[in-house]
Amino acid sequence: MKPRKNTKRVPSFRKLLRTSKIKLDNKLKNKQYKQQSAARKYRKEQKKLREAVRDAISKKPFPLEECRKKQAEKREEEEEEDALPLDMMDEDDLKLMEDLALKASFLTRDLSSNEPVHIKKRKHETVIDKYEKVPRRMQTEPEKELIHLLPIKDKGGIIPQTMEKPVLDGAQDEEDTEEMEDAEDFNEEALPVLTPEEMAAQRRQKLQERKMHIAALASVILSDPDNNIKKLKELRAMLMEQDPNVAVIVRKLVMVSLMEIFKDIAPSYKIRPLSEAEKATKVKKETQKLREFEEGLVSQYKFYLENLEQTIKDWKQRKLKKSNVISLKAYKGLAEIAVKCLCELLVALPHFNFHNNIIVLIVPLMNDASKMISELCCEAVKKLFKQDKLGYASLGVVKVISGLVKGRNYDVRPEVLKVFLHLRIKEVELQKDSEDIAPKKKFMTYKEKRKNLSRMQRKWKKAEEKLERELLEAEASESKEKKLKLHTETLNIVFVTYFRILKRAQKSPLLPAVLEGLAKFAHLINVEFFDDLLIVLHSLIASGGLSYRESLHCILSAFHILSGQGDVLNIDPMKFYTHLYKTLFSLHAGGTNDDIGIVLQCVDVMFAKRRKQVSQQRALAFLKRLSTLALHVLPNSSVGILATNRVLMQTFPRMDLLLDNESQGSGVYLPELDEPEHCNAQNTALWELHLLQRHYHPTVQKFAAHLIAGAPTEGSGALSLDLSQRPATEHFEAYSMRGMTFNPPVASVTPRRKDTFSQMDSFIDEELNNQLQHRVGTVVHKLLDFAKYLKESSLS
């Protein structure tokens, strides 16, 4: 008869996923009850065994050692012959015998007492001796397993309910055991020793099978997401791949595949949970199908994000599960892939569910010790800021970053704050009428209506135009107000973070990022804070603890404040002009060459946007000093400076004074003086332009020749459109040499052919050539006596 197969199966991962929390709690309680009952049963068996030992000891004494048995029998016979009866012994001897009997071994011990044997000796026994004295258990009958049922609750409390597990027939057990033994024997015989090449081939085959399975599941889901949403669960189950040979690669592939699938099938709206009333109402089949799809999608998306989060946490905490098949070193690669997937979902699905949870995961990783993970997260946040038009996602990220900076006591990377520079905030809450907000639509005039339309048509046209105007006003005002409100709230949080650092952490490495952010958003600050902020910026510059770039950011922030809403204030920032003027020569072609981009922005804000508040003497002094600076910087900086000088010459009148040799007024130019108003710049000339006209860079030559001609806007001395319409900062970036390239590229030199030139002798004079040949042909054989000079020097 063919033996029956064991139909019992290990529960699959899919079945475990469906297990609810209540079932898991019941399983845990059953396990605890089972352990308690097993411990109770073990204690009862030990107690019975001890009682049985005591009964055996009382009936039969413990046997002595075999080697001393004969000697003991002889001694007993001798003692019996020599021993006296008790009635013939003295009272002292009898008392001594009784005392010795009380101190005797377990043969004379009172067996009715509950005191364990050798209680005094156990204090000094070793662990091994104790283990050896524990009696061995003999399995006389199989243990009956208990199944714990749901407990019953009454007035007295909770009463646990159990029942014995039904025992199978002995024949069935024997068949199962025989089948298991046969399977074990078969497995032992079927495990050949594989060579490394065979193991690698087997691993490639397994990996190829997993890849094909992943691709098949992904294609089925993408082809019809509504009907195949359950396949997501099967694909997500592969995140728990247990084969140690392919586990790491398979899990990475599944992570990336699921990320791409969710990006493709996620709808363009947020899925909200259904209320009880909505679930109870009857709906169409299409609606019910859509609800099931959305519910399954949100559920699987949540489980997927939890898997990614757990992978990152396990790697950060250096924890591994006991049953895990992946090493701790390989977990780092898994964590990096999980971070990449989260970054992609952060950027691709800002409107979908659980986006705030992704933000909470990503923002702390921007300050991670791993540079690669930190850069990944920062780049993802920058992309999110750039593409976020309305501002919901930006507001969420800014809130979490502000809390992170405050919670870490300002000990974060500067890159975390630099992401604020990519916010798309150009305006905040402004008071405007709804007519200004509504887009202008051209409507027919009264005369046109009288001329082209009848009375009834004019009536309908009037009602239609009124309705369209109201709809346009409502739509535009709502979206505009919502956007301005979000931007205002976001900017308030950014400024709170900046002001905290300015107040409490002025020596922090975050200060450059704060000053750079203030320089960008200073025109949006409330006017009430302008005076205090200018005082703080000037005190930072005067303290001398800032680097040159940080001081430039302070100057740029101050002038951004004064060029926006601050132009109504009567403030003369002469101290900021003076600081920039006296520190311009700190720039050179070395490490500070990149700071010239900030200087060009400062000059643009200080002169071009404030030309009515700047005197001619100040403009002449800066024009002269910038021209001198253009001589000892890199070509891209020279082009940017000359473009700025061109704007100065076209903005301010009578700048052509510096192109003339004649002096204007009294005084002599003092180039070493740090005050631009009193250095007499009108009595000098721009002789630097003649040197720059012979510069090796062709664009510098063009700008220098253009400025010597007086910076005309048209004519022979005018610049081309591509040079004249670009701002100075774009010239600085366009001609940059960071990539070790020359812009415009240098023309390649063609190699010279050998037959294009005659011999070198043809270039030498004929008479000189004859003398040279004569001298070369004359060979002089003369011995050199080096010792001669040594003798002469020693004699002298």
Side-chain angles (χ1 to χ4, degrees):
M1 183 177 178
K2 189 176 181 181
R4 292 176 61 188
K5 292 185 179 180
N6 188 10
T7 58
K8 185 177 179 181
R9 289 185 178 180
V10 179
S12 64
F13 182 73
R14 184 181 302 175
K15 187 174 181 181
L16 291 176
L17 284 178
R18 290 198 298 266
T19 306
S20 64
K21 187 179 179 182
I22 298 174
K23 290 184 179 179
L24 292 175
D25 293 340
N26 290 338
K27 284 188 177 183
L28 181 61
K29 289 179 183 177
N30 290 338
K31 187 176 181 181
Q32 292 175 354
Y33 288 148
K34 192 173 182 179
Q35 291 176 353
Q36 291 174 4
S37 62
R40 198 180 299 115
K41 190 174 182 180
Y42 176 76
R43 287 196 297 269
K44 288 181 180 179
E45 289 179 356
Q46 291 295 317
K47 187 175 179 180
K48 290 180 182 179
L49 188 59
R50 285 196 297 269
E51 290 175 358
V53 170
R54 289 172 189 167
D55 294 338
I57 289 171
S58 63
K59 294 177 182 178
K60 183 178 179 181
F62 223 82
L64 299 177
E65 295 180 10
E66 294 292 332
C67 60
R68 300 180 182 179
K69 188 174 182 180
K70 295 181 180 180
Q71 297 178 3
E73 290 176 356
K74 290 181 181 180
R75 288 176 184 175
E76 287 176 2
E77 291 176 358
E78 293 174 359
E79 287 174 0
E80 287 177 357
E81 293 176 358
D82 298 333
L84 295 174
L86 293 176
D87 56 346
M88 296 180 65
M89 294 178 66
D90 296 337
E91 292 181 359
D92 296 334
D93 295 336
L94 185 60
K95 187 177 182 179
L96 180 62
M97 291 294 291
E98 291 175 355
D99 293 336
L100 290 173
L102 292 174
K103 297 179 181 179
S105 64
F106 63 91
L107 293 174
T108 58
R109 196 172 71 89
D110 186 11
L111 296 176
S112 63
S113 64
N114 294 326
E115 186 178 6
V117 185
H118 306 302
I119 188 170
K120 294 182 181 179
K121 292 183 180 180
R122 285 188 180 184
K123 296 181 180 179
H124 307 287
E125 287 178 348
T126 61
V127 179
I128 300 175
D129 295 336
K130 290 181 181 180
Y131 179 78
E132 289 295 328
K133 288 184 179 181
V134 175
R136 272 58 168 174
R137 294 180 60 188
M138 295 179 65
Q139 189 171 359
T140 57
E141 59 182 16
E143 293 184 0
K144 296 181 179 180
E145 296 185 9
L146 297 177
I147 299 176
H148 294 273
L149 306 176
L150 290 175
I152 301 173
K153 185 176 181 182
D154 61 355
K155 295 181 180 179
I158 297 175
I159 304 173
Q161 299 291 319
T162 59
M163 65 175 289
E164 293 182 0
K165 189 175 182 180
V167 182
L168 299 174
D169 297 335
Q172 179 69 26
D173 293 341
E174 291 176 0
E175 289 176 1
D176 292 341
T177 53
E178 288 176 2
E179 185 176 352
M180 291 176 64
E181 289 175 359
D182 294 339
E184 289 177 359
D185 296 337
F186 177 76
N187 290 336
E188 289 178 0
E189 295 174 359
L191 286 177
V193 179
L194 299 177
T195 62
E197 291 80 7
E198 293 174 347
M199 292 176 65
Q202 186 180 9
R203 179 179 179 274
R204 284 194 296 271
Q205 183 181 358
K206 288 181 181 179
L207 192 59
Q208 187 65 24
E209 291 175 359
R210 303 294 197 282
K211 286 181 179 179
M212 295 299 294
H213 189 47
I214 293 170
L217 289 174
S219 62
V220 167
I221 295 169
L222 292 176
S223 62
D224 191 4
D226 296 340
N227 297 324
N228 297 318
I229 193 66
K230 294 182 179 179
K231 296 288 184 181
L232 273 175
K233 187 184 292 186
E234 186 177 350
L235 182 58
R236 192 173 54 81
M238 296 183 71
L239 284 173
M240 300 301 171
E241 175 66 43
Q242 295 299 318
D243 192 344
N245 293 327
V246 295
V248 178
I249 298 179
V250 169
R251 292 187 186 187
K252 288 181 180 179
L253 292 173
V254 174
M255 282 182 187
V256 178
S257 302
L258 283 170
M259 180 262 295
E260 294 293 340
I261 289 172
F262 283 121
K263 282 169 61 177
D264 287 340
I265 68 175
S268 59
Y269 54 88
K270 186 175 182 180
I271 300 173
R272 64 174 182 83
L274 299 175
S275 62
E276 295 296 332
E278 290 175 337
K279 291 180 180 178
T281 57
K282 292 184 178 180
V283 293
K284 295 180 180 180
K285 290 183 178 180
E286 293 79 5
T287 308
Q288 185 63 28
K289 187 177 180 181
L290 179 61
R291 286 182 177 181
E292 292 176 357
F293 165 72
E294 290 178 346
E295 186 178 357
L297 177 63
V298 171
S299 175
Q300 294 303 316
Y301 189 55
K302 178 186 175 184
F303 288 138
Y304 172 62
L305 294 179
E306 287 176 352
N307 285 333
L308 296 182
E309 181 185 9
Q310 192 60 43
T311 302
I312 297 171
K313 281 185 178 179
D314 290 344
W315 170 66
K316 296 294 289 182
Q317 297 172 1
R318 303 294 191 269
K319 287 183 179 179
L320 283 179
K321 298 177 182 178
K322 294 181 180 178
S323 61
N324 211 326
V325 296
I326 297 177
S327 64
L328 190 61
K329 186 177 180 181
Y331 237 83
K332 182 181 179 183
L334 277 177
E336 290 175 355
I337 297 297
V339 171
K340 287 182 181 178
C341 293
L342 286 173
C343 291
E344 288 287 334
L345 294 173
L346 177 76
V347 178
L349 303 176
H351 57 277
F352 198 55
N353 299 53
F354 310 113
H355 190 258
N356 290 333
N357 303 72
I358 299 177
I359 291 173
V360 173
L361 280 174
I362 288 295
V363 169
L365 293 175
M366 294 168 64
N367 193 42
D368 194 77
S370 174
K371 187 177 180 182
M372 190 190 77
I373 291 180
S374 175
E375 289 178 353
L376 269 175
C377 297
C378 290
E379 288 299 322
V381 173
K382 289 177 185 177
K383 290 179 182 177
L384 181 65
F385 284 163
K386 289 179 181 178
Q387 73 180 22
D388 187 20
K389 296 180 180 179
L390 192 58
Y392 279 115
S394 300
L395 178 60
V397 175
V398 168
K399 282 182 179 178
V400 180
I401 291 177
S402 179
L404 176 70
V405 173
K406 186 180 179 182
R408 297 285 179 89
N409 199 17
Y410 314 106
D411 185 18
V412 297
R413 290 171 174 261
E415 290 80 7
V416 177
L417 280 185
K418 285 185 178 179
V419 297
F420 286 163
L421 300 175
H422 298 271
L423 285 168
R424 294 183 59 174
I425 299 178
K426 296 182 180 179
E427 57 180 354
V428 291
E429 196 127 22
L430 300 175
Q431 298 296 329
K432 288 188 177 182
D433 297 332
S434 60
E435 295 181 359
D436 297 333
I437 296 174
K440 299 294 184 292
K441 182 175 177 64
K442 187 177 181 181
F443 297 105
M444 296 178 68
T445 62
Y446 180 72
K447 291 183 179 180
E448 291 175 346
K449 291 177 183 177
R450 288 289 297 247
K451 183 179 180 181
N452 299 325
L453 302 176
S454 64
R455 183 177 179 181
M456 186 59 68
Q457 287 176 338
R458 288 199 302 269
K459 189 176 180 180
W460 280 102
K461 191 72 175 176
K462 185 178 180 181
E464 186 180 349
E465 289 178 356
K466 184 180 179 181
L467 180 60
E468 287 182 3
R469 189 180 288 110
E470 289 176 356
L471 290 173
L472 288 172
E473 287 177 1
E475 183 181 357
S477 61
E478 183 184 2
S479 60
K480 191 80 172 179
E481 287 174 3
K482 191 182 295 183
K483 182 177 179 180
L484 289 177
K485 187 177 180 180
L486 290 171
H487 284 185
T488 305
E489 189 177 355
T490 303
L491 201 62
N492 287 340
I493 298 173
V494 171
F495 282 138
V496 165
T497 307
Y498 285 165
F499 292 157
R500 279 178 186 162
I501 296 172
L502 282 177
K503 184 178 179 181
R504 301 177 185 176
Q506 291 187 356
K507 295 184 179 180
S508 170
L510 300 176
L511 189 61
V514 171
L515 295 173
E516 194 172 353
L518 284 175
K520 181 173 182 179
F521 301 115
H523 62 287
L524 302 173
I525 302 176
N526 196 342
V527 182
E528 298 174 359
F529 303 111
F530 281 3
D531 289 337
D532 296 335
L533 193 55
L534 287 174
I535 292 171
V536 170
L537 293 175
H538 184 259
S539 63
L540 286 173
I541 293 174
S543 65
L546 302 180
S547 64
Y548 187 66
R549 175 172 289 191
E550 293 171 0
S551 64
L552 290 178
H553 281 305
C554 283
I555 296 171
L556 189 58
S557 303
F559 281 100
H560 272 303
I561 291 171
L562 296 175
S563 63
Q565 305 175 56
D567 57 357
V568 298
L569 302 176
N570 190 14
I571 299 174
D572 185 18
M574 186 61 197
K575 47 196 172 185
F576 294 106
Y577 281 99
T578 304
H579 178 75
L580 180 62
Y581 181 78
K582 70 181 181 182
T583 58
L584 274 178
F585 287 149
S586 301
L587 301 168
H588 51 76
T592 59
N593 186 75
D594 291 337
D595 298 339
I596 292 181
I598 309 173
V599 170
L600 298 178
Q601 296 179 37
C602 290
V603 174
D604 181 58
V605 178
M606 293 163 69
F607 290 95
K609 296 182 180 179
R610 291 175 56 86
R611 54 182 177 272
K612 294 182 180 180
Q613 290 89 357
V614 179
S615 64
Q616 184 180 357
Q617 293 292 331
R618 198 181 303 175
L620 288 170
F622 270 91
L623 182 62
K624 174 64 178 176
R625 182 152 290 196
L626 286 172
S627 300
T628 308
L629 178 64
L631 292 173
H632 53 273
V633 290
L634 291 180
N636 62 325
S637 302
S638 298
V639 173
I641 290 172
L642 293 178
T644 302
N645 287 351
R646 175 179 178 271
V647 174
L648 290 177
M649 293 181 71
Q650 292 178 350
T651 303
F652 293 91
R654 301 189 64 188
M655 287 289 106
D656 54 351
L657 291 174
L658 300 181
L659 300 176
D660 194 358
N661 291 333
E662 296 180 2
S663 61
Q664 302 289 331
S666 60
V668 180
Y669 174 60
L670 303 173
E672 72 282 355
L673 192 66
D674 292 335
E675 294 292 336
E677 295 282 355
H678 308 291
C679 65
N680 299 323
Q682 73 276 4
N683 292 324
T684 184
L686 295 178
W687 51 265
E688 296 88 356
L689 296 178
H690 294 280
L691 294 177
L692 292 170
Q693 200 174 8
R694 295 191 292 272
H695 198 275
Y696 65 88
H697 199 280
T699 311
V700 178
Q701 296 175 12
K702 292 178 183 178
F703 267 100
H706 173 68
L707 293 179
I708 288 175
T713 56
E714 55 185 10
S716 60
L719 289 174
S720 58
L721 290 177
D722 60 329
L723 295 178
S724 61
Q725 293 183 353
R726 277 186 180 182
T729 52
E730 288 190 13
H731 283 298
F732 175 75
E733 293 294 335
Y735 295 99
S736 177
M737 301 179 68
R738 291 173 189 166
M740 302 303 292
T741 57
F742 193 78
N743 188 13
V746 181
S748 59
V749 181
T750 56
R752 296 175 179 177
R753 294 176 59 185
K754 294 181 179 180
D755 55 350
T756 55
F757 295 100
S758 58
Q759 296 181 357
M760 290 297 296
D761 296 345
S762 60
F763 294 97
I764 305 176
D765 185 51
E766 185 178 356
E767 185 179 353
L768 181 60
N769 191 18
N770 293 333
Q771 293 182 4
L772 181 62
Q773 294 295 334
H774 176 69
R775 293 295 180 184
V776 171
T778 306
V779 181
V780 180
H781 298 283
K782 186 176 181 182
L783 297 175
L784 298 177
D785 189 5
F786 295 102
K788 172 184 176 183
Y789 298 100
L790 293 175
K791 293 175 183 177
E792 292 178 357
S793 60
S794 60
L795 291 174
S796 61

